[in-house]
Amino acid sequence: MNTTLLHAEGLRKEYKLPRGQTLRALDNISLEIMPGEVLGLVGESGCGKSTLGRCLLRLTELSSGTITFDGCDISSLNERAMRPLRRQMQMVFQDSYASLNPRRRIGDLIAEPLRVHPDNNGKKRSSSTIEARLAELTELVGLSTSALSRYPHEFSGGQRQRINIARALALSPQLIVADEPVSALDVSIQAQIINLFTDLKERLGLTYIFIAHDLAVVRQISTRVAVMYLGAIVEQGETDAILHTPAHPYTAALIAAVPEPVIRKNASRTLLRGDVPSPVSPPSGCRFHTRCPKAQADCAIVVPDLRPLPDGRVVACHFPLVNDP
Ligand code: SF4
């Protein structure tokens, strides 16, 4: 029986700004991920996706809320207590070049986690063990071992992302948070890297949180999707259900904006109007009401709870577009 790998409850992240203002980057986020799942996190730029990814791995401190990983409450562990868990939870970033020290050889960069963290018996790894692991990792990500003696600038963006993935895999993690890992790549290279993520998931039994603003990318890899708007999840459920019959007007508008006809064949022609409001002073009631084509008077007053629909998804809307019980 599957047990939850990661469970997050009531996550909030606030930043205090000068002049006493508060920026609420995450507002009451709850989600869970089962082993082997791929959860796509989607939303416009600035909606809190990356902050959520970093908070889930405790790379950014939470303001409040709890995170349980593999049965352990990690929400308030100090860095020393987190260290053994770090090997289980890794991140792949969008900017493949910035993630790699340009002055170090690829072999050193991929081997770094193997040198920093002891093995499962608490012992330092030998040079031969590290070399053997480097050979495995390069094979896994589709690179030649000759890459290990070269420098980051000698590789294309797609190859550098393979190097970052190899580095993330070095300690055999259970969970990888991939933060827009293909958005800086050409479309043909994007497909290769997504295929690599899919292949690695099958071979290694990995679990992913896959952050993207591009629904076409999320459709290819995610089993479930969480749609974020202004720091909150507004809809969450199975990928096919959400992309083919969105229940939240914001999800519908995101889908309508996708150029790929496979995704938007059932979408309304609703397009998003206006800019995302400031998270420093979000709109009252439903935070989407200033841009929502379906908004009614109550929407500006009453905050919609995330509530379940019969098909198992949850949606934060007083007037969902489908499956209203
Ligand atoms: Fe639109 Fe109202 Fe639903 Fe918010 S609660 S998404 S404003 S219909």
Side-chain angles (χ1 to χ4, degrees), residues 261-303:
V262 174
I263 293 181
R264 59 176 169 75
K265 64 181 178 186
N266 296 322
S268 67
R269 299 216 27 93
T270 309
L271 292 178
L272 279 173
R273 53 184 183 175
D275 295 326
V276 182
S278 166
V280 177
S281 52
S284 60
C286 172
R287 61 190 65 206
F288 186 56
H289 84 262
T290 54
R291 303 171 80 195
C292 181
K294 306 286 182 189
Q296 301 187 27
D298 275 358
C299 296
I301 302 165
V302 183
V303 177

Side-chain angles (χ1 to χ4, degrees), residues 178-199:
D179 187 1
E180 303 264 13
V182 298
S183 57
L185 304 175
D186 291 345
V187 172
S188 62
I189 308 296
Q190 280 188 3
Q192 293 173 15
I193 299 297
I194 290 169
N195 287 343
L196 175 62
F197 272 107
T198 305
D199 179 51

Side-chain angles (χ1 to χ4, degrees), residues 30-283:
S30 296
L31 52 80
E32 63 178 18
I33 303 157
M34 308 301 277
E37 268 197 323
V38 182
L39 175 69
L41 269 184
V42 297
E44 290 166 289
S45 178
C47 70
K49 309 183 293 289
S50 296
T51 304
L52 176 57
R54 293 183 63 85
C55 283
L56 289 173
L57 297 194
R58 293 284 321 279
L59 297 173
T60 295
E61 283 306 308
L62 290 166
S63 300
S64 62
T66 58
I67 302 170
T68 307
F69 178 76
D70 205 14
C72 172
D73 182 351
I74 63 169
S75 329
S76 52
L77 293 183
N78 61 28
E79 189 46 45
R80 188 187 164 98
M82 271 300 294
R83 204 154 179 235
L85 290 163
R86 291 260 175 245
R87 68 179 67 206
Q88 301 293 342
M89 317 158 80
Q90 295 289 319
M91 194 146 185
V92 174
F93 297 94
Q94 174 183 355
D95 189 339
S96 61
Y97 198 51
S99 310
L100 300 171
N101 184 333
R103 286 193 279 274
R104 296 185 64 190
R105 292 180 199 273
I106 301 308
D108 283 341
L109 291 165
I110 299 176
E112 188 177 24
L114 297 164
R115 295 197 172 107
V116 170
H117 290 265
D119 67 14
N120 290 339
N121 298 315
K123 296 208 170 106
K124 193 169 180 276
R125 292 175 180 81
S126 66
S127 299
S128 58
T129 304
I130 291 175
E131 263 176 46
R133 182 65 177 147
L134 286 175
E136 278 174 15
L137 290 164
T138 47
E139 186 278 325
L140 275 171
V141 300
L143 288 171
S144 152
T145 49
S146 65
L148 297 171
S149 58
R150 294 161 64 193
Y151 289 90
H153 73 269
E154 298 179 63
F155 295 89
S156 66
Q159 288 172 320
R160 278 198 298 269
Q161 207 52 298
R162 289 177 190 268
I163 294 163
N164 278 310
I165 293 168
R167 193 174 143 96
L169 291 176
L171 296 170
S172 305
Q174 293 188 70
L175 173 69
I176 290 183
V177 175
D179 187 1
E180 303 264 13
V182 298
S183 57
L185 304 175
D186 291 345
V187 172
S188 62
I189 308 296
Q190 280 188 3
Q192 293 173 15
I193 299 297
I194 290 169
N195 287 343
L196 175 62
F197 272 107
T198 305
D199 179 51
L200 291 171
K201 181 176 116 56
E202 298 306 320
R203 289 175 74 177
L204 305 175
L206 295 165
T207 304
Y208 298 142
I209 296 173
F210 205 91
I211 298 171
H213 64 273
D214 185 340
L215 286 171
V217 167
V218 166
R219 180 180 67 90
Q220 290 176 63
I221 191 162
S222 304
T223 41
R224 282 192 305 121
V225 170
V227 182
M228 289 186 69
Y229 184 75
L230 266 184
I233 290 176
V234 297
E235 184 167 7
Q236 186 177 178
E238 299 293 326
T239 304
D240 280 349
I242 287 187
L243 295 190
H244 291 121
T245 53
H248 196 283
Y250 177 61
T251 314
L254 283 183
I255 292 168
V258 173
E260 193 174 324
V262 174
I263 293 181
R264 59 176 169 75
K265 64 181 178 186
N266 296 322
S268 67
R269 299 216 27 93
T270 309
L271 292 178
L272 279 173
R273 53 184 183 175
D275 295 326
V276 182
S278 166
V280 177
S281 52

